Amino acid sequence: GAPVRSREAVATLRGRLARDHEAARERVHDARRRREARLEQVAALQSPAVAVHPDLLRLRDELDAELLSARFEDLDLAAAARMQAELGPLVDALVVEDPAAALRKLSGLDRDLVSVWIVGADPPSDASAAPPGGAPLEGRDLVVREARAIRVTRLPSSPTLGRRARERRSDDLRGQAEALAVEMEEALEAQRRVEAMMRDADRLLEEGRGLDA
């Protein structure tokens, strides 16, 4: 551009550079924040027990049960989203051979979870495990047999059910994190260029000789 010929022009340039520097700094901060969020999601998706409460894992072992969600590890992304929506709270259900025996054992176990969902390996036996309506279990819990109902559930945009779905989502998040790393480096480079120009402007303002001539 045209050479800077006055102190006022340098001061104006210095102000504009300060604004550019702040904008670049904000871009770096935003890109770093979004990248870290993606990487945190990747770490969560790679966990051996995604979104499973530790207490549920303990109860699974205590009751010699199986996580219902473990049966859907190989679903693709679309199928995982649909199945997760269809299951609703049953995504955290425990599958047992003998629901009645599991309920008796559960009554003697301490737990942090407010609700535990039990599913029989044989559906008919599951229906007979709990009485109609609700019945107390050792005075601490209420056992309720769920009737069939219509439920409207929004399909999750990022389902966590199924290993294949988690791996695909993880790959997508890693790609986003890599793109954000490039964006962050570009913003840092822009910030460094602005800082260099700001130093030049500061030097000219300090020298001041001949600028107003």
Side-chain angles (χ1 to χ4, degrees):
V4 177
R5 299 186 180 279
S6 71
R7 184 185 299 274
E8 181 181 356
V10 173
T12 300
L13 175 62
R14 178 61 174 78
R16 191 182 72 221
L17 290 172
R19 291 190 294 273
D20 290 346
H21 180 266
E22 179 61 21
R25 192 188 67 81
E26 287 296 326
R27 288 196 300 273
V28 171
H29 175 75
D30 181 63
R32 180 180 290 114
R33 177 186 56 79
R34 288 185 287 143
R35 179 175 180 271
E36 289 174 353
R38 301 305 188 279
L39 294 176
E40 287 175 2
Q41 292 179 58
V42 169
L45 288 167
Q46 294 302 304
S47 171
V50 176
V52 177
H53 195 288
D55 203 33
L56 187 63
L57 297 176
R58 181 182 63 80
L59 291 174
R60 175 200 60 185
D61 297 337
E62 293 274 2
L63 299 174
D64 193 23
E66 173 193 3
L67 292 174
L68 181 60
S69 60
R71 298 186 172 189
F72 307 104
E73 287 292 78
D74 292 326
L75 295 181
D76 62 27
L77 194 65
R82 182 178 179 85
M83 182 57 68
Q84 186 170 333
E86 289 181 358
L87 287 174
L90 288 179
V91 74
D92 291 323
L94 295 174
V95 182
V96 298
E97 290 295 330
D98 187 344
L103 290 173
R104 289 193 297 271
K105 189 171 184 179
L106 186 62
S107 69
L109 297 175
D110 291 328
R111 69 175 193 267
D112 296 328
L113 293 170
V114 174
S115 298
V116 178
W117 296 79
I118 299 293
V119 175
D122 181 10
S125 68
D126 185 40
S128 62
L137 180 66
E138 297 296 326
R140 295 188 300 174
D141 296 306
L142 187 70
V143 180
V144 179
R145 186 175 64 200
E146 291 292 316
R148 290 189 176 184
I150 296 175
R151 178 170 53 86
V152 179
T153 302
R154 181 170 295 173
L155 293 174
S157 59
S158 301
T160 56
L161 179 65
R163 184 182 62 253
R164 288 174 60 188
R166 294 196 302 271
E167 288 174 352
R168 179 172 172 181
R169 178 61 176 161
S170 294
D171 290 343
D172 181 51
L173 289 167
R174 285 195 192 92
Q176 293 180 35
E178 291 173 3
L180 286 166
V182 173
E183 180 181 334
M184 187 169 63
E185 184 55 39
E186 290 174 348
L188 281 169
E189 180 59 32
Q191 182 177 329
R192 287 190 285 266
R193 288 196 301 269
V194 172
E195 287 172 349
M197 289 187 288
M198 288 172 67
R199 287 192 295 270
D200 289 342
D202 288 340
R203 179 178 53 78
L204 288 172
L205 284 172
E206 289 217 5
E207 290 177 357
R209 288 190 295 271
L211 291 177
D212 295 322

